[in-house]
Amino acid sequence: MNHTAPFGYSPTVSSLFRRKSSDVTTPDPVEEEVSSPVSRSKSYTPSKKELGQVTPKRASTARRPGGGAPLSGRELREDRRRERTEAMQGMRQGDERYLMARDRGPERRLVRDIVDSRRNIGSYFIVGALIVLIGSITKISIVVLVSNILWFALALLMVLDSVLIARRVKRLMRERFPKTEQRIGSLQLYGIMRALQFRRFRTPNPQVKTGDKV
């Protein structure tokens, strides 16, 4: 039995607009999820967990190096106190790891040894200044006169002693560190300022005795 096609219908035309099953692609759920992120406002701030940062609470519960229980607040304070004590002791003993930038280097160590191996007039300058101050407030003319003479004599001796320190620092630096990059004037000033301090209050502590050969 022949079926006649309706008017205007063409099998050829309909086949052109018919999709094959292989051409139809289903959207990938992963790509769809990535390509359509959740819209967030401009004022949105990501959490520290998303940024991978450690919160102070987690940092305070740091574990011991051996993987034991977390350190308590008291143990952390004790560790910091122990580190400060170790650094202070190392600085006093002249350990390069704990010294300040102004005290580092073999040149600075040599300058310290030069100053610490001799008796310096500058160490008595503060004592002399205190005596002069006490004498100047008295109303006895002879005491005031002696105090002023002592003050000028002490100041003159200190200047002379500083010149001797500067000359010795310059001579030894040229002998032992002829290629040093540090300025001689800076090293001389470093030695003079150390000579003004009392021996027991110098930092780093003296590593040579008074009278030792440097």
Side-chain angles (χ1 to χ4, degrees), residues 111 114-115 118-122 154-172 184-185 187-193 195-196:
V111 173
I114 292 173
V115 174
R118 64 194 301 275
R119 297 185 183 277
N120 307 286
I121 302 299
L154 187 62
L156 181 61
L157 291 175
M158 188 187 69
V159 172
L160 179 61
D161 192 56
S162 299
V163 172
L164 295 177
I165 292 175
R167 292 181 61 182
R168 190 178 181 189
V169 168
K170 183 178 181 179
R171 178 173 58 83
L172 291 181
I184 300 297
L187 296 174
Q188 291 173 335
L189 181 61
Y190 177 73
I192 293 172
M193 296 303 296
L196 294 176

Side-chain angles (χ1 to χ4, degrees), residues 13-33:
V13 176
S14 62
S15 63
L16 293 175
F17 293 92
R18 185 181 303 168
R19 286 189 177 181
K20 296 182 181 180
S21 59
S22 59
D23 295 338
V24 179
T25 57
T26 58
D28 190 355
V30 178
E31 295 181 355
E32 183 180 358
E33 182 179 353

